[in-house]
Amino acid sequence: MNSKKLKLEIEPINFFGFIFKSFFSMFLILFIASIIFVIVTPNLESNYIIAIILAGLTMGLILAIQFIFRPTIYLYSIFISETTTELKWQENGKFKSHQFNNAEITAELIPSGKNNPYLKLDVKDKESHLTLKQYRIGEWTLEKLKEIGIEIKNTMHNNV
């Protein structure tokens, strides 16, 4: 019997830094937008604080929606052997893991937006089913997403 194994170990990322960078970049964009808004609408009568508050509320709402409705997944450990599959990931900074026995694995690169594909992993066994979407963050570059997708397909237990 040909024994195939795949092991991927990546250092977990600092989610507080990731959230801070996201917050800071959005803040800069919305701050610049609020400055443009103030310049374009001269009838604010020097009440620029309203534009800045609106920009801050919009930024907070966008961040909340991003992290609540589309959680950020970061896979940092994938182990696939003949009978066992173990995945470890961070979901919005919380460490999670799951182990499967004789799992069926589907890995595909899904286009999302302009030049922002993600690796969709569907893993299921008799007791459970898990779908993870790994976007390009941290060590997960586009090349790494493609490479791991191909390696998972070549290492699968099932012959699908």
Side-chain angles (χ1 to χ4, degrees), residues 4 80 105-107 151-160:
K4 294 181 181 179
I80 302 173
I105 305 167
T106 305
E151 285 186 39
I152 288 173
K153 287 179 183 178
N154 292 337
T155 312
M156 291 189 300
H157 319 302
N158 51 327
N159 295 325
V160 177

Side-chain angles (χ1 to χ4, degrees), residues 30-125:
L30 289 172
F31 184 71
I32 292 169
S34 68
I35 290 173
I36 293 171
F37 176 76
V38 166
I39 292 171
V40 171
T41 55
N43 59 353
L44 286 177
E45 299 172 5
S46 298
N47 196 0
Y48 303 123
I49 204 77
I50 293 172
I52 294 171
I53 289 173
L54 285 175
L57 289 174
T58 305
M59 176 191 55
L61 182 64
I62 290 171
L63 275 175
I65 289 171
Q66 176 183 351
F67 289 108
I68 291 172
F69 296 112
R70 189 183 119 197
T72 301
I73 303 293
Y74 186 78
L75 283 160
Y76 64 89
S77 178
I78 300 172
F79 176 73
I80 302 173
S81 70
E82 282 295 316
T83 59
T84 305
T85 300
E86 182 179 18
L87 299 174
K88 293 180 182 178
W89 70 95
Q90 290 174 276
E91 187 171 327
N92 285 349
K94 296 177 183 160
F95 290 90
K96 298 184 177 189
S97 67
H98 195 55
Q99 190 166 352
F100 299 89
N101 292 320
N102 297 320
E104 293 181 20
I105 305 167
T106 305
E108 57 184 318
L109 206 58
I110 307 288
S112 173
K114 184 179 180 183
N115 294 328
N116 194 24
Y118 63 88
L119 179 65
K120 179 181 176 187
L121 290 179
D122 257 336
V123 186
K124 58 184 166 184
D125 63 4

Side-chain angles (χ1 to χ4, degrees), residues 4-28:
K4 294 181 181 179
K5 286 188 178 182
L6 171 66
K7 185 168 186 168
L8 169 73
E9 294 286 337
I10 298 175
E11 189 70 29
I13 65 172
N14 178 356
F15 259 83
F16 294 112
F18 173 72
I19 291 171
F20 177 75
K21 282 190 237 177
S22 299
F23 180 81
F24 188 70
S25 64
M26 290 184 75
F27 177 76
L28 284 177

